[in-house]
Amino acid sequence: MAGQAGAGNDMSFLPLVHEIIRGMDMESPDVNQKITELKTKFQKCRTMVEEMPGIDCSEEEQKQQIEQLRQQVTTKTDLLKKYKNMCAFELPRS
């Protein structure tokens, strides 16, 4: 999915936090910029979480959906087995 974190969408916070702490120790002038970057990353993560499918469902609703999907898979698997094992009909020759 387009909204999920991938190789081009780095959501690791630790390196940025480390840079902020190191910058504070050295009294670096770019600490505020790093803090802004961290806030931006947090906001991107919040947005991604809000856009996740099923986030608006309760845990119980999600469990019910999973069970329904499992039942569908079982039913379809059984039907496929049944159709595979059916005898092929011979067509009448003209």
Side-chain angles (χ1 to χ4, degrees), residues 7-58:
N9 201 356
D10 182 25
M11 287 295 134
S12 57
F13 301 106
L14 215 48
L16 196 51
V17 170
H18 179 69
E19 288 179 30
I20 291 169
I21 293 171
R22 191 174 54 208
M24 292 172 83
D25 287 343
M26 299 166 146
E27 297 180 11
S28 175
D30 64 338
V31 171
N32 287 333
Q33 177 187 352
K34 296 294 181 185
I35 291 172
T36 303
E37 288 177 34
L38 184 61
K39 287 179 183 178
T40 303
K41 273 193 175 189
F42 280 137
Q43 187 55 45
K44 284 181 184 178
C45 285
R46 283 187 196 105
T47 302
M48 288 172 58
V49 168
E50 290 169 359
E51 293 174 352
M52 290 176 82
I55 196 74
D56 56 336
C57 298
S58 70

mmCIF file of all heavy atoms in Angstrom, residues 7-58:
data_model
loop_
_atom_site.group_PDB
_atom_site.id
_atom_site.type_symbol
_atom_site.label_atom_id
_atom_site.label_comp_id
_atom_site.label_asym_id
_atom_site.label_seq_id
_atom_site.Cartn_x
_atom_site.Cartn_y
_atom_site.Cartn_z
ATOM 1 N N ALA A 7 10.943 1.120 2.212
ATOM 2 C CA ALA A 7 12.364 1.444 2.141
ATOM 3 C C ALA A 7 12.580 2.944 1.970
ATOM 4 O O ALA A 7 13.516 3.511 2.520
ATOM 5 C CB ALA A 7 12.997 0.681 0.995
ATOM 6 N N GLY A 8 11.713 3.624 1.229
ATOM 7 C CA GLY A 8 11.873 5.047 0.986
ATOM 8 C C GLY A 8 11.192 5.918 2.029
ATOM 9 O O GLY A 8 11.207 7.130 1.927
ATOM 10 N N ASN A 9 10.608 5.292 3.044
ATOM 11 C CA ASN A 9 9.851 6.038 4.037
ATOM 12 C C ASN A 9 10.369 5.673 5.423
ATOM 13 O O ASN A 9 9.743 4.920 6.141
ATOM 14 C CB ASN A 9 8.364 5.699 3.878
ATOM 15 C CG ASN A 9 7.474 6.756 4.476
ATOM 16 O OD1 ASN A 9 7.943 7.703 5.080
ATOM 17 N ND2 ASN A 9 6.184 6.581 4.314
ATOM 18 N N ASP A 10 11.508 6.224 5.817
ATOM 19 C CA ASP A 10 12.185 5.874 7.058
ATOM 20 C C ASP A 10 11.459 6.474 8.252
ATOM 21 O O ASP A 10 11.331 7.683 8.364
ATOM 22 C CB ASP A 10 13.637 6.358 7.010
ATOM 23 C CG ASP A 10 14.408 5.984 8.251
ATOM 24 O OD1 ASP A 10 14.026 5.003 8.918
ATOM 25 O OD2 ASP A 10 15.393 6.665 8.556
ATOM 26 N N MET A 11 10.975 5.614 9.147
ATOM 27 C CA MET A 11 10.274 6.080 10.335
ATOM 28 C C MET A 11 11.037 5.733 11.612
ATOM 29 O O MET A 11 10.440 5.593 12.656
ATOM 30 C CB MET A 11 8.870 5.470 10.384
ATOM 31 C CG MET A 11 7.928 6.053 9.382
ATOM 32 S SD MET A 11 7.622 7.794 9.760
ATOM 33 C CE MET A 11 7.799 8.502 8.149
ATOM 34 N N SER A 12 12.345 5.601 11.545
ATOM 35 C CA SER A 12 13.125 5.339 12.751
ATOM 36 C C SER A 12 13.443 6.663 13.436
ATOM 37 O O SER A 12 13.887 7.615 12.810
ATOM 38 C CB SER A 12 14.405 4.571 12.419
ATOM 39 O OG SER A 12 15.170 5.282 11.478
ATOM 40 N N PHE A 13 13.187 6.703 14.727
ATOM 41 C CA PHE A 13 13.339 7.936 15.500
ATOM 42 C C PHE A 13 14.666 8.018 16.243
ATOM 43 O O PHE A 13 15.142 9.110 16.532
ATOM 44 C CB PHE A 13 12.206 8.058 16.527
ATOM 45 C CG PHE A 13 10.846 8.078 15.905
ATOM 46 C CD1 PHE A 13 10.023 6.990 15.974
ATOM 47 C CD2 PHE A 13 10.404 9.202 15.244
ATOM 48 C CE1 PHE A 13 8.773 7.008 15.394
ATOM 49 C CE2 PHE A 13 9.151 9.239 14.659
ATOM 50 C CZ PHE A 13 8.339 8.135 14.739
ATOM 51 N N LEU A 14 15.232 6.876 16.566
ATOM 52 C CA LEU A 14 16.419 6.854 17.413
ATOM 53 C C LEU A 14 17.599 7.657 16.879
ATOM 54 O O LEU A 14 18.198 8.427 17.651
ATOM 55 C CB LEU A 14 16.822 5.405 17.678
ATOM 56 C CG LEU A 14 17.399 5.109 19.040
ATOM 57 C CD1 LEU A 14 16.580 5.676 20.164
ATOM 58 C CD2 LEU A 14 17.568 3.620 19.216
ATOM 59 N N PRO A 15 17.948 7.546 15.592
ATOM 60 C CA PRO A 15 19.083 8.345 15.117
ATOM 61 C C PRO A 15 18.853 9.853 15.270
ATOM 62 O O PRO A 15 19.765 10.591 15.643
ATOM 63 C CB PRO A 15 19.199 7.977 13.636
ATOM 64 C CG PRO A 15 18.559 6.645 13.519
ATOM 65 C CD PRO A 15 17.471 6.633 14.546
ATOM 66 N N LEU A 16 17.625 10.285 15.024
ATOM 67 C CA LEU A 16 17.308 11.708 15.149
ATOM 68 C C LEU A 16 17.354 12.156 16.610
ATOM 69 O O LEU A 16 17.877 13.231 16.924
ATOM 70 C CB LEU A 16 15.934 11.986 14.536
ATOM 71 C CG LEU A 16 15.586 13.418 14.222
ATOM 72 C CD1 LEU A 16 16.669 14.103 13.394
ATOM 73 C CD2 LEU A 16 14.259 13.487 13.473
ATOM 74 N N VAL A 17 16.839 11.322 17.505
ATOM 75 C CA VAL A 17 16.901 11.640 18.943
ATOM 76 C C VAL A 17 18.358 11.717 19.387
ATOM 77 O O VAL A 17 18.746 12.627 20.141
ATOM 78 C CB VAL A 17 16.120 10.591 19.768
ATOM 79 C CG1 VAL A 17 16.370 10.771 21.256
ATOM 80 C CG2 VAL A 17 14.629 10.664 19.460
ATOM 81 N N HIS A 18 19.174 10.791 18.889
ATOM 82 C CA HIS A 18 20.597 10.801 19.232
ATOM 83 C C HIS A 18 21.263 12.102 18.754
ATOM 84 O O HIS A 18 22.053 12.712 19.486
ATOM 85 C CB HIS A 18 21.281 9.579 18.611
ATOM 86 C CG HIS A 18 22.740 9.510 18.879
ATOM 87 N ND1 HIS A 18 23.268 9.263 20.127
ATOM 88 C CD2 HIS A 18 23.805 9.670 18.052
ATOM 89 C CE1 HIS A 18 24.580 9.281 20.054
ATOM 90 N NE2 HIS A 18 24.938 9.511 18.804
ATOM 91 N N GLU A 19 20.932 12.523 17.539
ATOM 92 C CA GLU A 19 21.494 13.777 17.009
ATOM 93 C C GLU A 19 21.061 14.975 17.855
ATOM 94 O O GLU A 19 21.855 15.899 18.091
ATOM 95 C CB GLU A 19 21.063 13.983 15.561
ATOM 96 C CG GLU A 19 21.742 13.055 14.583
ATOM 97 C CD GLU A 19 21.259 13.280 13.159
ATOM 98 O OE1 GLU A 19 20.875 14.423 12.830
ATOM 99 O OE2 GLU A 19 21.273 12.313 12.377
ATOM 100 N N ILE A 20 19.822 14.955 18.309
ATOM 101 C CA ILE A 20 19.323 16.061 19.141
ATOM 102 C C ILE A 20 20.082 16.107 20.453
ATOM 103 O O ILE A 20 20.542 17.173 20.885
ATOM 104 C CB ILE A 20 17.804 15.920 19.377
ATOM 105 C CG1 ILE A 20 17.035 16.164 18.075
ATOM 106 C CG2 ILE A 20 17.327 16.886 20.462
ATOM 107 C CD1 ILE A 20 15.567 15.809 18.129
ATOM 108 N N ILE A 21 20.241 14.964 21.090
ATOM 109 C CA ILE A 21 20.955 14.919 22.374
ATOM 110 C C ILE A 21 22.407 15.336 22.191
ATOM 111 O O ILE A 21 22.940 16.127 22.986
ATOM 112 C CB ILE A 21 20.855 13.513 22.997
ATOM 113 C CG1 ILE A 21 19.410 13.230 23.406
ATOM 114 C CG2 ILE A 21 21.788 13.382 24.196
ATOM 115 C CD1 ILE A 21 19.143 11.808 23.826
ATOM 116 N N ARG A 22 23.037 14.808 21.135
ATOM 117 C CA ARG A 22 24.435 15.178 20.879
ATOM 118 C C ARG A 22 24.547 16.680 20.600
ATOM 119 O O ARG A 22 25.464 17.349 21.068
ATOM 120 C CB ARG A 22 24.974 14.370 19.709
ATOM 121 C CG ARG A 22 26.474 14.506 19.544
ATOM 122 C CD ARG A 22 27.024 13.614 18.487
ATOM 123 N NE ARG A 22 26.303 13.848 17.229
ATOM 124 C CZ ARG A 22 26.136 12.961 16.274
ATOM 125 N NH1 ARG A 22 26.619 11.755 16.406
ATOM 126 N NH2 ARG A 22 25.500 13.252 15.170
ATOM 127 N N GLY A 23 23.592 17.223 19.844
ATOM 128 C CA GLY A 23 23.604 18.653 19.542
ATOM 129 C C GLY A 23 23.401 19.507 20.777
ATOM 130 O O GLY A 23 23.982 20.586 20.896
ATOM 131 N N MET A 24 22.580 19.013 21.713
ATOM 132 C CA MET A 24 22.366 19.758 22.961
ATOM 133 C C MET A 24 23.638 19.761 23.805
ATOM 134 O O MET A 24 23.964 20.757 24.443
ATOM 135 C CB MET A 24 21.195 19.171 23.740
ATOM 136 C CG MET A 24 19.858 19.394 23.045
ATOM 137 S SD MET A 24 18.504 18.535 23.828
ATOM 138 C CE MET A 24 18.105 19.697 25.121
ATOM 139 N N ASP A 25 24.338 18.619 23.804
ATOM 140 C CA ASP A 25 25.585 18.538 24.559
ATOM 141 C C ASP A 25 26.632 19.489 23.990
ATOM 142 O O ASP A 25 27.421 20.078 24.732
ATOM 143 C CB ASP A 25 26.145 17.110 24.544
ATOM 144 C CG ASP A 25 25.345 16.171 25.435
ATOM 145 O OD1 ASP A 25 24.587 16.670 26.291
ATOM 146 O OD2 ASP A 25 25.480 14.943 25.258
ATOM 147 N N MET A 26 26.649 19.643 22.681
ATOM 148 C CA MET A 26 27.648 20.500 22.027
ATOM 149 C C MET A 26 27.127 21.924 21.817
ATOM 150 O O MET A 26 27.806 22.732 21.195
ATOM 151 C CB MET A 26 28.026 19.904 20.669
ATOM 152 C CG MET A 26 28.636 18.552 20.732
ATOM 153 S SD MET A 26 28.585 17.988 19.086
ATOM 154 C CE MET A 26 29.879 17.053 18.711
ATOM 155 N N GLU A 27 25.918 22.166 22.289
ATOM 156 C CA GLU A 27 25.286 23.472 22.111
ATOM 157 C C GLU A 27 25.249 23.875 20.635
ATOM 158 O O GLU A 27 25.555 25.004 20.260
ATOM 159 C CB GLU A 27 25.985 24.528 22.969
ATOM 160 C CG GLU A 27 25.882 24.240 24.454
ATOM 161 C CD GLU A 27 26.574 25.273 25.306
ATOM 162 O OE1 GLU A 27 26.976 26.331 24.792
ATOM 163 O OE2 GLU A 27 26.726 25.018 26.508
ATOM 164 N N SER A 28 24.842 22.923 19.806
ATOM 165 C CA SER A 28 24.770 23.136 18.367
ATOM 166 C C SER A 28 23.563 24.017 18.013
ATOM 167 O O SER A 28 22.499 23.885 18.611
ATOM 168 C CB SER A 28 24.649 21.778 17.663
ATOM 169 O OG SER A 28 24.475 21.948 16.291
ATOM 170 N N PRO A 29 23.734 24.899 17.025
ATOM 171 C CA PRO A 29 22.626 25.785 16.653
ATOM 172 C C PRO A 29 21.516 25.073 15.861
ATOM 173 O O PRO A 29 20.416 25.593 15.756
ATOM 174 C CB PRO A 29 23.294 26.853 15.779
ATOM 175 C CG PRO A 29 24.531 26.206 15.265
ATOM 176 C CD PRO A 29 24.969 25.229 16.314
ATOM 177 N N ASP A 30 21.793 23.888 15.331
ATOM 178 C CA ASP A 30 20.773 23.219 14.523
ATOM 179 C C ASP A 30 19.900 22.248 15.317
ATOM 180 O O ASP A 30 19.170 21.443 14.739
ATOM 181 C CB ASP A 30 21.410 22.500 13.334
ATOM 182 C CG ASP A 30 22.334 21.377 13.744
ATOM 183 O OD1 ASP A 30 22.814 21.390 14.888
ATOM 184 O OD2 ASP A 30 22.579 20.482 12.908
ATOM 185 N N VAL A 31 19.916 22.343 16.654
ATOM 186 C CA VAL A 31 19.087 21.485 17.488
ATOM 187 C C VAL A 31 17.606 21.747 17.220
ATOM 188 O O VAL A 31 16.804 20.818 17.112
ATOM 189 C CB VAL A 31 19.413 21.678 18.991
ATOM 190 C CG1 VAL A 31 18.410 20.964 19.863
ATOM 191 C CG2 VAL A 31 20.817 21.193 19.292
ATOM 192 N N ASN A 32 17.238 23.009 17.076
ATOM 193 C CA ASN A 32 15.833 23.334 16.811
ATOM 194 C C ASN A 32 15.357 22.724 15.499
ATOM 195 O O ASN A 32 14.219 22.261 15.399
ATOM 196 C CB ASN A 32 15.616 24.849 16.795
ATOM 197 C CG ASN A 32 15.687 25.445 18.191
ATOM 198 O OD1 ASN A 32 15.404 24.754 19.164
ATOM 199 N ND2 ASN A 32 16.067 26.701 18.280
ATOM 200 N N GLN A 33 16.226 22.713 14.498
ATOM 201 C CA GLN A 33 15.875 22.110 13.211
ATOM 202 C C GLN A 33 15.647 20.602 13.374
ATOM 203 O O GLN A 33 14.698 20.044 12.827
ATOM 204 C CB GLN A 33 16.974 22.362 12.181
ATOM 205 C CG GLN A 33 16.696 21.702 10.838
ATOM 206 C CD GLN A 33 17.869 21.815 9.877
ATOM 207 O OE1 GLN A 33 18.843 22.503 10.153
ATOM 208 N NE2 GLN A 33 17.763 21.129 8.760
ATOM 209 N N LYS A 34 16.497 19.942 14.152
ATOM 210 C CA LYS A 34 16.363 18.502 14.385
ATOM 211 C C LYS A 34 15.082 18.197 15.163
ATOM 212 O O LYS A 34 14.405 17.208 14.897
ATOM 213 C CB LYS A 34 17.581 17.952 15.140
ATOM 214 C CG LYS A 34 18.875 18.065 14.379
ATOM 215 C CD LYS A 34 18.860 17.184 13.159
ATOM 216 C CE LYS A 34 20.182 17.292 12.415
ATOM 217 N NZ LYS A 34 20.176 16.550 11.160
ATOM 218 N N ILE A 35 14.754 19.046 16.120
ATOM 219 C CA ILE A 35 13.518 18.866 16.881
ATOM 220 C C ILE A 35 12.309 19.010 15.959
ATOM 221 O O ILE A 35 11.354 18.240 16.045
ATOM 222 C CB ILE A 35 13.448 19.862 18.065
ATOM 223 C CG1 ILE A 35 14.508 19.494 19.108
ATOM 224 C CG2 ILE A 35 12.052 19.890 18.680
ATOM 225 C CD1 ILE A 35 14.666 20.493 20.234
ATOM 226 N N THR A 36 12.362 19.964 15.050
ATOM 227 C CA THR A 36 11.280 20.138 14.075
ATOM 228 C C THR A 36 11.166 18.913 13.179
ATOM 229 O O THR A 36 10.053 18.457 12.882
ATOM 230 C CB THR A 36 11.528 21.407 13.234
ATOM 231 O OG1 THR A 36 11.632 22.529 14.109
ATOM 232 C CG2 THR A 36 10.406 21.633 12.250
ATOM 233 N N GLU A 37 12.297 18.358 12.755
ATOM 234 C CA GLU A 37 12.282 17.138 11.943
ATOM 235 C C GLU A 37 11.633 15.983 12.708
ATOM 236 O O GLU A 37 10.850 15.210 12.139
ATOM 237 C CB GLU A 37 13.705 16.740 11.536
ATOM 238 C CG GLU A 37 14.339 17.637 10.494
ATOM 239 C CD GLU A 37 15.778 17.236 10.183
ATOM 240 O OE1 GLU A 37 16.087 16.018 10.216
ATOM 241 O OE2 GLU A 37 16.589 18.124 9.915
ATOM 242 N N LEU A 38 11.951 15.870 13.991
ATOM 243 C CA LEU A 38 11.375 14.809 14.814
ATOM 244 C C LEU A 38 9.860 14.988 14.939
ATOM 245 O O LEU A 38 9.096 14.030 14.797
ATOM 246 C CB LEU A 38 12.029 14.801 16.199
ATOM 247 C CG LEU A 38 11.601 13.702 17.154
ATOM 248 C CD1 LEU A 38 11.930 12.321 16.573
ATOM 249 C CD2 LEU A 38 12.268 13.878 18.504
ATOM 250 N N LYS A 39 9.422 16.212 15.164
ATOM 251 C CA LYS A 39 7.984 16.486 15.250
ATOM 252 C C LYS A 39 7.287 16.139 13.937
ATOM 253 O O LYS A 39 6.182 15.584 13.933
ATOM 254 C CB LYS A 39 7.739 17.960 15.593
ATOM 255 C CG LYS A 39 8.051 18.327 17.020
ATOM 256 C CD LYS A 39 7.792 19.811 17.252
ATOM 257 C CE LYS A 39 8.149 20.236 18.654
ATOM 258 N NZ LYS A 39 7.931 21.690 18.866
ATOM 259 N N THR A 40 7.941 16.444 12.825
ATOM 260 C CA THR A 40 7.377 16.126 11.508
ATOM 261 C C THR A 40 7.243 14.619 11.328
ATOM 262 O O THR A 40 6.228 14.128 10.819
ATOM 263 C CB THR A 40 8.255 16.721 10.391
ATOM 264 O OG1 THR A 40 8.357 18.133 10.588
ATOM 265 C CG2 THR A 40 7.682 16.443 9.029
ATOM 266 N N LYS A 41 8.262 13.867 11.753
ATOM 267 C CA LYS A 41 8.207 12.406 11.660
ATOM 268 C C LYS A 41 7.065 11.852 12.509
ATOM 269 O O LYS A 41 6.354 10.948 12.077
ATOM 270 C CB LYS A 41 9.526 11.782 12.104
ATOM 271 C CG LYS A 41 10.544 11.659 11.022
ATOM 272 C CD LYS A 41 11.684 10.767 11.461
ATOM 273 C CE LYS A 41 12.628 10.555 10.295
ATOM 274 N NZ LYS A 41 13.626 9.532 10.594
ATOM 275 N N PHE A 42 6.904 12.395 13.716
ATOM 276 C CA PHE A 42 5.807 11.957 14.576
ATOM 277 C C PHE A 42 4.461 12.205 13.897
ATOM 278 O O PHE A 42 3.576 11.357 13.923
ATOM 279 C CB PHE A 42 5.834 12.662 15.935
ATOM 280 C CG PHE A 42 6.819 12.082 16.913
ATOM 281 C CD1 PHE A 42 7.606 12.911 17.680
ATOM 282 C CD2 PHE A 42 6.941 10.714 17.094
ATOM 283 C CE1 PHE A 42 8.516 12.393 18.597
ATOM 284 C CE2 PHE A 42 7.841 10.174 18.000
ATOM 285 C CZ PHE A 42 8.624 11.025 18.757
ATOM 286 N N GLN A 43 4.306 13.360 13.290
ATOM 287 C CA GLN A 43 3.051 13.688 12.628
ATOM 288 C C GLN A 43 2.789 12.759 11.442
ATOM 289 O O GLN A 43 1.663 12.324 11.222
ATOM 290 C CB GLN A 43 3.036 15.157 12.176
ATOM 291 C CG GLN A 43 1.697 15.605 11.631
ATOM 292 C CD GLN A 43 0.554 15.369 12.608
ATOM 293 O OE1 GLN A 43 0.667 15.656 13.798
ATOM 294 N NE2 GLN A 43 -0.543 14.843 12.120
ATOM 295 N N LYS A 44 3.836 12.441 10.670
ATOM 296 C CA LYS A 44 3.681 11.506 9.554
ATOM 297 C C LYS A 44 3.222 10.141 10.061
ATOM 298 O O LYS A 44 2.358 9.497 9.452
ATOM 299 C CB LYS A 44 4.994 11.353 8.784
ATOM 300 C CG LYS A 44 5.318 12.519 7.880
ATOM 301 C CD LYS A 44 6.624 12.263 7.141
ATOM 302 C CE LYS A 44 7.036 13.457 6.299
ATOM 303 N NZ LYS A 44 8.322 13.218 5.622
ATOM 304 N N CYS A 45 3.804 9.702 11.166
ATOM 305 C CA CYS A 45 3.419 8.409 11.738
ATOM 306 C C CYS A 45 1.969 8.435 12.219
ATOM 307 O O CYS A 45 1.226 7.471 12.005
ATOM 308 C CB CYS A 45 4.345 8.025 12.884
ATOM 309 S SG CYS A 45 5.955 7.476 12.321
ATOM 310 N N ARG A 46 1.558 9.524 12.856
ATOM 311 C CA ARG A 46 0.165 9.652 13.296
ATOM 312 C C ARG A 46 -0.777 9.549 12.106
ATOM 313 O O ARG A 46 -1.800 8.854 12.160
ATOM 314 C CB ARG A 46 -0.055 10.984 14.004
ATOM 315 C CG ARG A 46 0.456 11.035 15.405
ATOM 316 C CD ARG A 46 0.044 12.336 16.096
ATOM 317 N NE ARG A 46 0.830 12.536 17.277
ATOM 318 C CZ ARG A 46 1.837 13.406 17.397
ATOM 319 N NH1 ARG A 46 2.128 14.226 16.404
ATOM 320 N NH2 ARG A 46 2.517 13.498 18.506
ATOM 321 N N THR A 47 -0.434 10.235 11.024
ATOM 322 C CA THR A 47 -1.258 10.209 9.816
ATOM 323 C C THR A 47 -1.338 8.803 9.250
ATOM 324 O O THR A 47 -2.419 8.345 8.862
ATOM 325 C CB THR A 47 -0.690 11.182 8.763
ATOM 326 O OG1 THR A 47 -0.637 12.493 9.327
ATOM 327 C CG2 THR A 47 -1.542 11.212 7.522
ATOM 328 N N MET A 48 -0.209 8.107 9.204
ATOM 329 C CA MET A 48 -0.190 6.743 8.675
ATOM 330 C C MET A 48 -1.073 5.822 9.516
ATOM 331 O O MET A 48 -1.815 4.998 8.977
ATOM 332 C CB MET A 48 1.241 6.207 8.631
ATOM 333 C CG MET A 48 2.094 6.839 7.545
ATOM 334 S SD MET A 48 3.834 6.388 7.626
ATOM 335 C CE MET A 48 3.782 4.621 7.504
ATOM 336 N N VAL A 49 -1.005 5.972 10.835
ATOM 337 C CA VAL A 49 -1.814 5.130 11.722
ATOM 338 C C VAL A 49 -3.295 5.425 11.506
ATOM 339 O O VAL A 49 -4.120 4.509 11.429
ATOM 340 C CB VAL A 49 -1.414 5.339 13.200
ATOM 341 C CG1 VAL A 49 -2.421 4.719 14.140
ATOM 342 C CG2 VAL A 49 -0.026 4.768 13.454
ATOM 343 N N GLU A 50 -3.654 6.688 11.388
ATOM 344 C CA GLU A 50 -5.057 7.062 11.182
ATOM 345 C C GLU A 50 -5.602 6.524 9.867
ATOM 346 O O GLU A 50 -6.795 6.263 9.748
ATOM 347 C CB GLU A 50 -5.211 8.578 11.220
ATOM 348 C CG GLU A 50 -5.007 9.172 12.599
ATOM 349 C CD GLU A 50 -4.905 10.694 12.594
ATOM 350 O OE1 GLU A 50 -4.973 11.304 11.510
ATOM 351 O OE2 GLU A 50 -4.753 11.265 13.690
ATOM 352 N N GLU A 51 -4.734 6.349 8.858
ATOM 353 C CA GLU A 51 -5.162 5.880 7.540
ATOM 354 C C GLU A 51 -5.154 4.359 7.408
ATOM 355 O O GLU A 51 -5.571 3.837 6.377
ATOM 356 C CB GLU A 51 -4.262 6.484 6.459
ATOM 357 C CG GLU A 51 -4.423 7.979 6.313
ATOM 358 C CD GLU A 51 -3.429 8.597 5.340
ATOM 359 O OE1 GLU A 51 -2.511 7.882 4.878
ATOM 360 O OE2 GLU A 51 -3.563 9.797 5.058
ATOM 361 N N MET A 52 -4.709 3.656 8.428
ATOM 362 C CA MET A 52 -4.638 2.196 8.358
ATOM 363 C C MET A 52 -6.044 1.612 8.254
ATOM 364 O O MET A 52 -6.958 2.052 8.951
ATOM 365 C CB MET A 52 -3.950 1.633 9.601
ATOM 366 C CG MET A 52 -2.474 1.939 9.661
ATOM 367 S SD MET A 52 -1.738 1.354 11.185
ATOM 368 C CE MET A 52 -1.478 -0.340 10.765
ATOM 369 N N PRO A 53 -6.212 0.625 7.384
ATOM 370 C CA PRO A 53 -7.528 0.000 7.281
ATOM 371 C C PRO A 53 -7.874 -0.755 8.566
ATOM 372 O O PRO A 53 -7.022 -1.413 9.155
ATOM 373 C CB PRO A 53 -7.383 -0.964 6.101
ATOM 374 C CG PRO A 53 -5.930 -1.115 5.868
ATOM 375 C CD PRO A 53 -5.234 0.069 6.470
ATOM 376 N N GLY A 54 -9.100 -0.605 9.019
ATOM 377 C CA GLY A 54 -9.561 -1.305 10.210
ATOM 378 C C GLY A 54 -9.283 -0.579 11.502
ATOM 379 O O GLY A 54 -9.674 -1.053 12.572
ATOM 380 N N ILE A 55 -8.635 0.564 11.437
ATOM 381 C CA ILE A 55 -8.293 1.291 12.664
ATOM 382 C C ILE A 55 -9.550 1.801 13.371
ATOM 383 O O ILE A 55 -9.553 1.999 14.579
ATOM 384 C CB ILE A 55 -7.283 2.439 12.369
ATOM 385 C CG1 ILE A 55 -6.608 2.949 13.647
ATOM 386 C CG2 ILE A 55 -7.971 3.596 11.690
ATOM 387 C CD1 ILE A 55 -5.580 2.013 14.178
ATOM 388 N N ASP A 56 -10.625 1.964 12.616
ATOM 389 C CA ASP A 56 -11.866 2.464 13.197
ATOM 390 C C ASP A 56 -12.711 1.345 13.805
ATOM 391 O O ASP A 56 -13.735 1.618 14.426
ATOM 392 C CB ASP A 56 -12.676 3.219 12.140
ATOM 393 C CG ASP A 56 -12.960 2.379 10.907
ATOM 394 O OD1 ASP A 56 -12.201 1.437 10.654
ATOM 395 O OD2 ASP A 56 -13.934 2.678 10.206
ATOM 396 N N CYS A 57 -12.276 0.095 13.677
ATOM 397 C CA CYS A 57 -13.005 -1.047 14.231
ATOM 398 C C CYS A 57 -12.450 -1.405 15.606
ATOM 399 O O CYS A 57 -11.254 -1.267 15.855
ATOM 400 C CB CYS A 57 -12.865 -2.264 13.327
ATOM 401 S SG CYS A 57 -13.540 -2.027 11.691
ATOM 402 N N SER A 58 -13.336 -1.910 16.438
ATOM 403 C CA SER A 58 -12.880 -2.374 17.753
ATOM 404 C C SER A 58 -12.142 -3.704 17.591
ATOM 405 O O SER A 58 -12.202 -4.343 16.535
ATOM 406 C CB SER A 58 -14.075 -2.560 18.689
ATOM 407 O OG SER A 58 -14.848 -3.668 18.266
#
